[in-house]
Amino acid sequence: MPTEIWNGIELAAQTDIGCHRQNNEDRFAYDLPLGIFAVSDGMGGCAGGEIASQMAVEQLITAYRLLHNSTSSAISISDALYHAVASANAAVYARAESDPSLRGMGATLVAIAVEGTSAVIANIGDSRAYLLRQNTATQITLDHSFLAEQVREGTIQARDAANSPLQSTITRAIGIGAVVEADLFAAELEPGDRILLASDGLTRYVHDEEIAAMASPSITSDAACAALIELARNRGGADNVTCLLLNWLE
């Protein structure tokens, strides 16, 4: 998609099927004027994964828009995002429950809501958000995956986790239960900052320091997305790859 700019925020987003998959179960969606952006990675095989991720991002945006635009009461972007994630989960879960062919489908979800210089990030699963500032990439979100939780608990080393066949085993997902708990993170943004939302098809292959270098301020947002995806493909590209990059213009 072409780069878009609104109220000092530049947006670029790209998704790629990767080198081995037959279909793309990643989805992204956004409402730039409203300041809400999301990436989702579907699971459940074939149509199930595609449906789950598409429903997750679409329902998130729709619910956030309704909550944000409500005239009945003021609502913070944090509360609006939290309830929008819950709405996305309920929609995917209800669809899976009503259609036996879709039982077990689900999706990861990472989203950011922005208001002025304030941002709130929500995640479920192992799709990630990064803050890119002063040539450093800092992971904002915490992966909800078996291996990431083992690393945080100190029962496995990060280098061993990187080579484990259990990399795709996630512990939270949209749509696999009636209720899911999102993690929320707050950030104050500065001119020149970038936020990257990405599926694990990118972060499985591209290290944080490489993200920082390839998405530096000297590189246009769309070129950065393209370069990151190409690197993931060159290193195997076993999964779909999605990047959504936001740039706070100086």
Side-chain angles (χ1 to χ4, degrees):
M1 56 159 278
T3 301
E4 298 182 41
I5 299 176
W6 179 271
N7 200 27
I9 301 176
E10 180 186 58
L11 163 72
Q14 296 182 29
T15 187
D16 188 271
I17 196 171
C19 300
H20 300 286
R21 295 294 181 93
Q22 298 301 309
N23 58 316
N24 193 340
E25 297 182 4
D26 283 3
R27 294 292 186 273
F28 64 83
Y30 60 90
D31 184 328
L32 183 53
L34 191 60
I36 178 74
F37 312 86
V39 165
S40 180
D41 178 0
M43 62 185 195
C46 298
E50 294 181 12
I51 291 171
S53 59
Q54 187 72 35
M55 288 188 67
V57 295
E58 288 183 351
Q59 182 60 32
L60 176 96
I61 300 297
T62 298
Y64 185 86
R65 185 180 294 124
L66 290 172
L67 288 163
H68 189 273
N69 294 339
S70 172
T71 57
S72 60
S73 62
I75 185 169
S76 68
I77 59 171
S78 179
D79 287 344
L81 183 58
Y82 180 85
H83 290 296
V85 171
S87 178
N89 182 75
V92 176
Y93 179 73
R95 177 68 183 276
E97 288 293 294
S98 67
D99 187 341
S101 70
L102 298 177
R103 293 283 172 85
M105 76 173 182
T108 70
L109 183 64
V110 60
I112 181 170
V114 180
E115 190 172 75
T117 60
S118 298
V120 177
I121 299 94
N123 83 293
I124 291 173
D126 59 359
S127 292
R128 294 179 181 176
Y130 284 88
L131 171 64
L132 310 177
R133 177 181 289 169
Q134 297 179 352
N135 297 314
T136 299
T138 302
Q139 184 179 341
I140 299 171
T141 52
L142 297 176
D143 294 350
H144 302 140
S145 69
F146 173 76
L147 289 173
E149 291 173 1
Q150 294 293 302
V151 170
R152 290 196 290 271
E153 291 171 3
T155 57
I156 186 174
Q157 296 296 313
R159 62 178 178 273
D160 297 323
N163 298 314
S164 171
L166 300 175
Q167 286 190 50
S168 297
T169 304
I170 60 175
T171 55
R172 290 189 219 175
I174 290 285
I176 61 172
V179 178
V180 70
E181 190 70 22
D183 287 345
L184 295 180
F185 306 87
E188 282 297 319
L189 301 168
E190 302 173 358
D193 283 350
R194 290 183 168 189
I195 294 285
L196 173 68
L197 307 183
S199 63
D200 74 322
L202 176 75
T203 57
R204 188 181 303 180
Y205 295 102
V206 183
H207 304 301
D208 293 5
E209 61 272 16
E210 294 172 320
I211 291 173
M214 300 180 76
S216 68
S218 62
I219 302 170
T220 64
S221 297
D222 54 346
C225 288
L228 288 167
I229 288 173
E230 187 63 21
L231 181 57
R233 287 179 57 89
N234 289 340
R235 290 180 173 171
D239 203 353
N240 311 139
V241 192
T242 300
C243 297
L244 187 152
L245 187 60
L246 299 169
N247 182 22
W248 273 258
L249 302 174
E250 296 189 63

